Amino acid sequence: MLKFLLPLAASVALAAQPALAGPAAAEPAPVAEALCTSVNPFGGDMRVVTCRVPAGRAHRFTANFGGGHDDTSATLSATLDGQATNCDADSKMSLFGEDGDVSLRCRVAAGDATSGVRTLVVTVLWSHAQYRNFVFAAEQAAK
């Protein structure tokens, strides 16, 4: 039971800390946690996160891990409204053998403001690392 509570406690502790001030144009704006649900449907090193994506701006999903080392591996796959989606070019969908704190990320465009709310489902699988949390954020509008 403790194995399952520690990642949750770490996520809550991180979420409770105030965000550090940074350049507004470079940092994504956090999206309310109520927009996402995270489940571990089969146990093991897996998370399935479902997020409601408001239309009109691109959003970035980031999965964070600690304790990466020479045989750490992780992959991320995503669907948008039930259809497989390719994350944008600056995304990082897999990693292998990276040390320390590592992450995967997927940037998706939600369409124009008239397309309504969309559903993003992200599946994250990993091995030989400690899952920390995920961050789902709207990117700043281009100026």
Side-chain angles (χ1 to χ4, degrees):
M1 179 87 164
L2 185 58
K3 176 182 175 183
F4 297 106
L5 293 178
L6 288 177
L8 177 61
S11 295
V12 171
L14 288 173
Q17 294 177 350
L20 298 175
E27 294 296 320
V31 176
E33 287 184 26
L35 293 180
C36 296
T37 59
S38 175
V39 296
N40 183 339
F42 306 110
D45 295 343
M46 173 185 193
R47 287 282 191 278
V48 177
V49 181
T50 303
C51 298
R52 294 179 311 168
V53 184
R57 291 184 11 192
H59 287 71
R60 182 178 309 271
F61 177 91
T62 305
N64 298 304
F65 306 90
H69 53 278
D70 63 342
D71 64 347
T72 294
S73 65
T75 61
L76 178 151
S77 61
T79 63
L80 191 59
D81 293 335
Q83 301 294 316
T85 185
N86 292 326
C87 298
D88 290 351
D90 65 341
S91 299
K92 181 179 180 183
M93 307 294 290
S94 65
L95 63 85
F96 181 78
E98 295 182 22
D99 291 327
D101 293 333
V102 296
S103 64
L104 298 175
R105 61 188 174 277
C106 175
R107 182 184 180 273
V108 295
D112 63 33
T114 61
S115 61
V117 176
R118 304 185 73 186
T119 301
L120 175 70
V121 177
V122 178
T123 302
V124 182
L125 302 169
W126 69 93
S127 177
H128 297 272
Q130 177 65 45
Y131 175 79
R132 299 276 190 224
N133 63 359
F134 73 89
V135 176
F136 182 62
E139 295 194 337
Q140 298 295 326
K143 293 183 180 185

